[in-house]
Amino acid sequence: MSADDNGNGSDASILTKTRTRTQRPPMYKVLLLNDDYTPMEFVVHILERFFGLNHAQAFEIMLTVHKKGLAVVGVFSFEVAETKVAQVMDFARRHQHPLQCTMEKE
Ligand code: TYC
């Protein structure tokens, strides 16, 4: 082994070690916003229908939105969150309620 031999079988005298971090896909919170006009039962129905919540869970989240102004309904991949928001907005619009649903990067 000569003076510039690093002993790893390569001629290079500098070793570069690259640590590749595994990237988790970003997740998105789906938020429901309060308003003064959308009926409580309609919001509960939306939470059951599009988010798979049981009646008690749906009622609880609806009440949180009603009292606090907004609540996180769930956390999803971008595509799933986008679909949920579109389904809620479309359903609310078709029933002529001003309900708003948005998404935000976690
Ligand atoms: N504030 C509404 C009412 O009193 C109920 C409501 C709850 C509306 C949640 C929207 O996201 C909402 N009828």
Side-chain angles (χ1 to χ4, degrees), residues 32-41 43-44 47 61-67 69-70 98-100:
L32 205 55
L33 309 185
N34 189 36
D35 67 73
D36 292 339
Y37 306 102
T38 305
M40 289 184 173
E41 273 313 317
V43 177
V44 171
L47 292 171
I61 291 183
M62 180 282 295
L63 260 196
T64 301
V65 177
H66 178 69
K67 289 190 215 161
L70 86 179
L99 183 64
Q100 294 294 306

PDB file of all heavy atoms in Angstrom, residues 32-41 43-44 47 61-67 69-70 98-100, ligand 1:
ATOM      1  N   LEU A  32     -62.572  22.544   7.120  1.00  0.00           N
ATOM      2  CA  LEU A  32     -63.951  22.971   6.900  1.00  0.00           C
ATOM      3  C   LEU A  32     -64.126  24.306   7.613  1.00  0.00           C
ATOM      4  O   LEU A  32     -63.653  24.470   8.739  1.00  0.00           O
ATOM      5  CB  LEU A  32     -64.883  21.907   7.489  1.00  0.00           C
ATOM      6  CG  LEU A  32     -66.287  21.793   6.906  1.00  0.00           C
ATOM      7  CD1 LEU A  32     -66.255  21.577   5.395  1.00  0.00           C
ATOM      8  CD2 LEU A  32     -67.026  20.665   7.601  1.00  0.00           C
ATOM      9  N   LEU A  33     -64.773  25.267   6.938  1.00  0.00           N
ATOM     10  CA  LEU A  33     -64.932  26.608   7.500  1.00  0.00           C
ATOM     11  C   LEU A  33     -66.384  26.859   7.914  1.00  0.00           C
ATOM     12  O   LEU A  33     -67.315  26.387   7.266  1.00  0.00           O
ATOM     13  CB  LEU A  33     -64.509  27.662   6.468  1.00  0.00           C
ATOM     14  CG  LEU A  33     -63.143  27.474   5.812  1.00  0.00           C
ATOM     15  CD1 LEU A  33     -62.817  28.665   4.919  1.00  0.00           C
ATOM     16  CD2 LEU A  33     -62.041  27.296   6.857  1.00  0.00           C
ATOM     17  N   ASN A  34     -66.540  27.634   8.967  1.00  0.00           N
ATOM     18  CA  ASN A  34     -67.889  27.967   9.431  1.00  0.00           C
ATOM     19  C   ASN A  34     -68.519  29.050   8.559  1.00  0.00           C
ATOM     20  O   ASN A  34     -67.812  29.821   7.888  1.00  0.00           O
ATOM     21  CB  ASN A  34     -67.837  28.459  10.878  1.00  0.00           C
ATOM     22  CG  ASN A  34     -69.222  28.602  11.487  1.00  0.00           C
ATOM     23  OD1 ASN A  34     -70.110  27.800  11.192  1.00  0.00           O
ATOM     24  ND2 ASN A  34     -69.417  29.600  12.323  1.00  0.00           N
ATOM     25  N   ASP A  35     -69.828  29.074   8.521  1.00  0.00           N
ATOM     26  CA  ASP A  35     -70.594  30.181   7.946  1.00  0.00           C
ATOM     27  C   ASP A  35     -71.907  30.225   8.711  1.00  0.00           C
ATOM     28  O   ASP A  35     -72.188  29.336   9.513  1.00  0.00           O
ATOM     29  CB  ASP A  35     -70.809  29.980   6.434  1.00  0.00           C
ATOM     30  CG  ASP A  35     -71.707  28.803   6.137  1.00  0.00           C
ATOM     31  OD1 ASP A  35     -72.928  28.905   6.370  1.00  0.00           O
ATOM     32  OD2 ASP A  35     -71.192  27.759   5.677  1.00  0.00           O
ATOM     33  N   ASP A  36     -72.701  31.257   8.479  1.00  0.00           N
ATOM     34  CA  ASP A  36     -73.931  31.436   9.261  1.00  0.00           C
ATOM     35  C   ASP A  36     -75.147  30.754   8.647  1.00  0.00           C
ATOM     36  O   ASP A  36     -76.227  30.774   9.243  1.00  0.00           O
ATOM     37  CB  ASP A  36     -74.240  32.930   9.414  1.00  0.00           C
ATOM     38  CG  ASP A  36     -73.223  33.648  10.283  1.00  0.00           C
ATOM     39  OD1 ASP A  36     -72.539  32.957  11.078  1.00  0.00           O
ATOM     40  OD2 ASP A  36     -73.110  34.884  10.167  1.00  0.00           O
ATOM     41  N   TYR A  37     -75.010  30.179   7.455  1.00  0.00           N
ATOM     42  CA  TYR A  37     -76.198  29.743   6.709  1.00  0.00           C
ATOM     43  C   TYR A  37     -76.331  28.249   6.473  1.00  0.00           C
ATOM     44  O   TYR A  37     -77.449  27.731   6.382  1.00  0.00           O
ATOM     45  CB  TYR A  37     -76.246  30.473   5.355  1.00  0.00           C
ATOM     46  CG  TYR A  37     -76.171  31.960   5.509  1.00  0.00           C
ATOM     47  CD1 TYR A  37     -74.985  32.657   5.268  1.00  0.00           C
ATOM     48  CD2 TYR A  37     -77.286  32.691   5.945  1.00  0.00           C
ATOM     49  CE1 TYR A  37     -74.903  34.030   5.433  1.00  0.00           C
ATOM     50  CE2 TYR A  37     -77.219  34.066   6.126  1.00  0.00           C
ATOM     51  CZ  TYR A  37     -76.019  34.731   5.862  1.00  0.00           C
ATOM     52  OH  TYR A  37     -75.951  36.082   6.048  1.00  0.00           O
ATOM     53  N   THR A  38     -75.211  27.555   6.320  1.00  0.00           N
ATOM     54  CA  THR A  38     -75.289  26.121   6.024  1.00  0.00           C
ATOM     55  C   THR A  38     -75.882  25.386   7.233  1.00  0.00           C
ATOM     56  O   THR A  38     -75.392  25.548   8.350  1.00  0.00           O
ATOM     57  CB  THR A  38     -73.892  25.558   5.701  1.00  0.00           C
ATOM     58  OG1 THR A  38     -73.327  26.324   4.644  1.00  0.00           O
ATOM     59  CG2 THR A  38     -73.978  24.086   5.285  1.00  0.00           C
ATOM     60  N   PRO A  39     -76.939  24.602   7.023  1.00  0.00           N
ATOM     61  CA  PRO A  39     -77.552  23.887   8.160  1.00  0.00           C
ATOM     62  C   PRO A  39     -76.587  22.879   8.787  1.00  0.00           C
ATOM     63  O   PRO A  39     -75.806  22.226   8.083  1.00  0.00           O
ATOM     64  CB  PRO A  39     -78.743  23.153   7.521  1.00  0.00           C
ATOM     65  CG  PRO A  39     -79.002  23.867   6.236  1.00  0.00           C
ATOM     66  CD  PRO A  39     -77.665  24.369   5.769  1.00  0.00           C
ATOM     67  N   MET A  40     -76.665  22.769  10.092  1.00  0.00           N
ATOM     68  CA  MET A  40     -75.790  21.840  10.826  1.00  0.00           C
ATOM     69  C   MET A  40     -75.924  20.407  10.299  1.00  0.00           C
ATOM     70  O   MET A  40     -74.914  19.711  10.137  1.00  0.00           O
ATOM     71  CB  MET A  40     -76.120  21.869  12.320  1.00  0.00           C
ATOM     72  CG  MET A  40     -75.690  23.163  12.999  1.00  0.00           C
ATOM     73  SD  MET A  40     -76.000  23.092  14.772  1.00  0.00           S
ATOM     74  CE  MET A  40     -75.229  24.621  15.297  1.00  0.00           C
ATOM     75  N   GLU A  41     -77.148  19.966  10.047  1.00  0.00           N
ATOM     76  CA  GLU A  41     -77.355  18.591   9.589  1.00  0.00           C
ATOM     77  C   GLU A  41     -76.737  18.335   8.212  1.00  0.00           C
ATOM     78  O   GLU A  41     -76.299  17.230   7.919  1.00  0.00           O
ATOM     79  CB  GLU A  41     -78.855  18.234   9.573  1.00  0.00           C
ATOM     80  CG  GLU A  41     -79.363  17.713  10.915  1.00  0.00           C
ATOM     81  CD  GLU A  41     -78.455  16.637  11.556  1.00  0.00           C
ATOM     82  OE1 GLU A  41     -77.985  15.720  10.824  1.00  0.00           O
ATOM     83  OE2 GLU A  41     -78.207  16.708  12.772  1.00  0.00           O
ATOM     84  N   VAL A  43     -73.959  19.741   7.141  1.00  0.00           N
ATOM     85  CA  VAL A  43     -72.517  19.595   7.395  1.00  0.00           C
ATOM     86  C   VAL A  43     -72.223  18.196   7.948  1.00  0.00           C
ATOM     87  O   VAL A  43     -71.265  17.528   7.521  1.00  0.00           O
ATOM     88  CB  VAL A  43     -72.012  20.688   8.374  1.00  0.00           C
ATOM     89  CG1 VAL A  43     -70.539  20.490   8.685  1.00  0.00           C
ATOM     90  CG2 VAL A  43     -72.249  22.081   7.782  1.00  0.00           C
ATOM     91  N   VAL A  44     -73.067  17.745   8.866  1.00  0.00           N
ATOM     92  CA  VAL A  44     -72.900  16.399   9.436  1.00  0.00           C
ATOM     93  C   VAL A  44     -72.992  15.359   8.310  1.00  0.00           C
ATOM     94  O   VAL A  44     -72.182  14.430   8.226  1.00  0.00           O
ATOM     95  CB  VAL A  44     -73.959  16.127  10.531  1.00  0.00           C
ATOM     96  CG1 VAL A  44     -73.942  14.661  10.961  1.00  0.00           C
ATOM     97  CG2 VAL A  44     -73.707  17.036  11.738  1.00  0.00           C
ATOM     98  N   LEU A  47     -69.819  15.240   6.266  1.00  0.00           N
ATOM     99  CA  LEU A  47     -68.711  14.588   6.976  1.00  0.00           C
ATOM    100  C   LEU A  47     -68.870  13.065   6.983  1.00  0.00           C
ATOM    101  O   LEU A  47     -67.888  12.334   6.884  1.00  0.00           O
ATOM    102  CB  LEU A  47     -68.608  15.145   8.398  1.00  0.00           C
ATOM    103  CG  LEU A  47     -68.162  16.616   8.459  1.00  0.00           C
ATOM    104  CD1 LEU A  47     -68.304  17.168   9.875  1.00  0.00           C
ATOM    105  CD2 LEU A  47     -66.720  16.768   7.975  1.00  0.00           C
ATOM    106  N   ILE A  61     -67.180  17.176  14.963  1.00  0.00           N
ATOM    107  CA  ILE A  61     -66.368  18.063  14.107  1.00  0.00           C
ATOM    108  C   ILE A  61     -67.204  19.255  13.631  1.00  0.00           C
ATOM    109  O   ILE A  61     -66.728  20.395  13.629  1.00  0.00           O
ATOM    110  CB  ILE A  61     -65.775  17.280  12.918  1.00  0.00           C
ATOM    111  CG1 ILE A  61     -64.712  16.303  13.447  1.00  0.00           C
ATOM    112  CG2 ILE A  61     -65.159  18.235  11.877  1.00  0.00           C
ATOM    113  CD1 ILE A  61     -63.977  15.519  12.393  1.00  0.00           C
ATOM    114  N   MET A  62     -68.460  18.991  13.269  1.00  0.00           N
ATOM    115  CA  MET A  62     -69.342  20.087  12.854  1.00  0.00           C
ATOM    116  C   MET A  62     -69.448  21.130  13.965  1.00  0.00           C
ATOM    117  O   MET A  62     -69.352  22.335  13.710  1.00  0.00           O
ATOM    118  CB  MET A  62     -70.724  19.509  12.496  1.00  0.00           C
ATOM    119  CG  MET A  62     -71.754  20.545  12.048  1.00  0.00           C
ATOM    120  SD  MET A  62     -72.494  21.482  13.395  1.00  0.00           S
ATOM    121  CE  MET A  62     -73.378  20.188  14.255  1.00  0.00           C
ATOM    122  N   LEU A  63     -69.625  20.661  15.217  1.00  0.00           N
ATOM    123  CA  LEU A  63     -69.755  21.591  16.354  1.00  0.00           C
ATOM    124  C   LEU A  63     -68.472  22.377  16.591  1.00  0.00           C
ATOM    125  O   LEU A  63     -68.516  23.567  16.936  1.00  0.00           O
ATOM    126  CB  LEU A  63     -70.108  20.822  17.627  1.00  0.00           C
ATOM    127  CG  LEU A  63     -71.561  20.794  18.091  1.00  0.00           C
ATOM    128  CD1 LEU A  63     -71.631  20.336  19.547  1.00  0.00           C
ATOM    129  CD2 LEU A  63     -72.235  22.167  17.957  1.00  0.00           C
ATOM    130  N   THR A  64     -67.315  21.704  16.397  1.00  0.00           N
ATOM    131  CA  THR A  64     -66.029  22.397  16.538  1.00  0.00           C
ATOM    132  C   THR A  64     -65.928  23.531  15.520  1.00  0.00           C
ATOM    133  O   THR A  64     -65.532  24.656  15.848  1.00  0.00           O
ATOM    134  CB  THR A  64     -64.850  21.412  16.359  1.00  0.00           C
ATOM    135  OG1 THR A  64     -64.965  20.393  17.338  1.00  0.00           O
ATOM    136  CG2 THR A  64     -63.516  22.110  16.517  1.00  0.00           C
ATOM    137  N   VAL A  65     -66.299  23.239  14.273  1.00  0.00           N
ATOM    138  CA  VAL A  65     -66.265  24.270  13.229  1.00  0.00           C
ATOM    139  C   VAL A  65     -67.212  25.413  13.605  1.00  0.00           C
ATOM    140  O   VAL A  65     -66.855  26.598  13.509  1.00  0.00           O
ATOM    141  CB  VAL A  65     -66.667  23.684  11.849  1.00  0.00           C
ATOM    142  CG1 VAL A  65     -66.689  24.783  10.788  1.00  0.00           C
ATOM    143  CG2 VAL A  65     -65.722  22.568  11.437  1.00  0.00           C
ATOM    144  N   HIS A  66     -68.406  25.053  14.041  1.00  0.00           N
ATOM    145  CA  HIS A  66     -69.423  26.047  14.415  1.00  0.00           C
ATOM    146  C   HIS A  66     -68.916  26.969  15.520  1.00  0.00           C
ATOM    147  O   HIS A  66     -69.131  28.187  15.484  1.00  0.00           O
ATOM    148  CB  HIS A  66     -70.699  25.315  14.857  1.00  0.00           C
ATOM    149  CG  HIS A  66     -71.797  26.210  15.312  1.00  0.00           C
ATOM    150  ND1 HIS A  66     -72.494  27.041  14.452  1.00  0.00           N
ATOM    151  CD2 HIS A  66     -72.323  26.415  16.553  1.00  0.00           C
ATOM    152  CE1 HIS A  66     -73.407  27.715  15.148  1.00  0.00           C
ATOM    153  NE2 HIS A  66     -73.320  27.358  16.419  1.00  0.00           N
ATOM    154  N   LYS A  67     -68.227  26.391  16.501  1.00  0.00           N
ATOM    155  CA  LYS A  67     -67.769  27.184  17.666  1.00  0.00           C
ATOM    156  C   LYS A  67     -66.449  27.905  17.424  1.00  0.00           C
ATOM    157  O   LYS A  67     -66.256  29.031  17.876  1.00  0.00           O
ATOM    158  CB  LYS A  67     -67.583  26.262  18.878  1.00  0.00           C
ATOM    159  CG  LYS A  67     -68.891  25.750  19.462  1.00  0.00           C
ATOM    160  CD  LYS A  67     -68.612  25.044  20.799  1.00  0.00           C
ATOM    161  CE  LYS A  67     -69.535  23.855  21.007  1.00  0.00           C
ATOM    162  NZ  LYS A  67     -69.030  22.900  22.009  1.00  0.00           N
ATOM    163  N   GLY A  69     -64.792  28.239  14.278  1.00  0.00           N
ATOM    164  CA  GLY A  69     -64.613  28.887  12.980  1.00  0.00           C
ATOM    165  C   GLY A  69     -64.072  27.966  11.905  1.00  0.00           C
ATOM    166  O   GLY A  69     -64.308  28.184  10.727  1.00  0.00           O
ATOM    167  N   LEU A  70     -63.317  26.956  12.326  1.00  0.00           N
ATOM    168  CA  LEU A  70     -62.807  25.963  11.364  1.00  0.00           C
ATOM    169  C   LEU A  70     -62.285  24.746  12.114  1.00  0.00           C
ATOM    170  O   LEU A  70     -62.070  24.800  13.324  1.00  0.00           O
ATOM    171  CB  LEU A  70     -61.727  26.555  10.444  1.00  0.00           C
ATOM    172  CG  LEU A  70     -60.247  26.590  10.877  1.00  0.00           C
ATOM    173  CD1 LEU A  70     -59.425  27.212   9.768  1.00  0.00           C
ATOM    174  CD2 LEU A  70     -60.028  27.342  12.164  1.00  0.00           C
ATOM    175  N   PRO A  98     -73.480  27.952   1.255  1.00  0.00           N
ATOM    176  CA  PRO A  98     -72.193  28.653   1.068  1.00  0.00           C
ATOM    177  C   PRO A  98     -70.995  27.975   1.744  1.00  0.00           C
ATOM    178  O   PRO A  98     -69.932  28.594   1.877  1.00  0.00           O
ATOM    179  CB  PRO A  98     -72.470  30.023   1.693  1.00  0.00           C
ATOM    180  CG  PRO A  98     -73.440  29.741   2.779  1.00  0.00           C
ATOM    181  CD  PRO A  98     -74.314  28.609   2.284  1.00  0.00           C
ATOM    182  N   LEU A  99     -71.162  26.726   2.155  1.00  0.00           N
ATOM    183  CA  LEU A  99     -70.103  25.992   2.857  1.00  0.00           C
ATOM    184  C   LEU A  99     -68.772  26.040   2.094  1.00  0.00           C
ATOM    185  O   LEU A  99     -68.739  25.836   0.882  1.00  0.00           O
ATOM    186  CB  LEU A  99     -70.541  24.526   3.020  1.00  0.00           C
ATOM    187  CG  LEU A  99     -69.603  23.609   3.789  1.00  0.00           C
ATOM    188  CD1 LEU A  99     -69.475  24.048   5.240  1.00  0.00           C
ATOM    189  CD2 LEU A  99     -70.097  22.170   3.712  1.00  0.00           C
ATOM    190  N   GLN A 100     -67.699  26.303   2.841  1.00  0.00           N
ATOM    191  CA  GLN A 100     -66.359  26.373   2.245  1.00  0.00           C
ATOM    192  C   GLN A 100     -65.453  25.284   2.825  1.00  0.00           C
ATOM    193  O   GLN A 100     -65.460  25.039   4.028  1.00  0.00           O
ATOM    194  CB  GLN A 100     -65.717  27.741   2.513  1.00  0.00           C
ATOM    195  CG  GLN A 100     -66.425  28.908   1.826  1.00  0.00           C
ATOM    196  CD  GLN A 100     -66.326  28.839   0.319  1.00  0.00           C
ATOM    197  OE1 GLN A 100     -65.240  28.734  -0.237  1.00  0.00           O
ATOM    198  NE2 GLN A 100     -67.480  28.900  -0.352  1.00  0.00           N
TER     199      GLN A 100
HETATM  200  N1  TYC B   1     -72.852  27.816  11.694  1.00  0.00           N
HETATM  201  C1  TYC B   1     -73.810  26.984  11.003  1.00  0.00           C
HETATM  202  C2  TYC B   1     -75.194  27.174  11.624  1.00  0.00           C
HETATM  203  O1  TYC B   1     -75.300  27.708  12.706  1.00  0.00           O
HETATM  204  C3  TYC B   1     -73.450  25.512  11.056  1.00  0.00           C
HETATM  205  C4  TYC B   1     -72.174  25.200  10.354  1.00  0.00           C
HETATM  206  C5  TYC B   1     -71.259  24.335  10.929  1.00  0.00           C
HETATM  207  C6  TYC B   1     -71.878  25.731   9.106  1.00  0.00           C
HETATM  208  C7  TYC B   1     -70.064  24.000  10.281  1.00  0.00           C
HETATM  209  C8  TYC B   1     -70.701  25.411   8.430  1.00  0.00           C
HETATM  210  O2  TYC B   1     -68.648  24.200   8.365  1.00  0.00           O
HETATM  211  C9  TYC B   1     -69.803  24.552   9.025  1.00  0.00           C
HETATM  212  N2  TYC B   1     -76.223  26.724  10.933  1.00  0.00           N
END
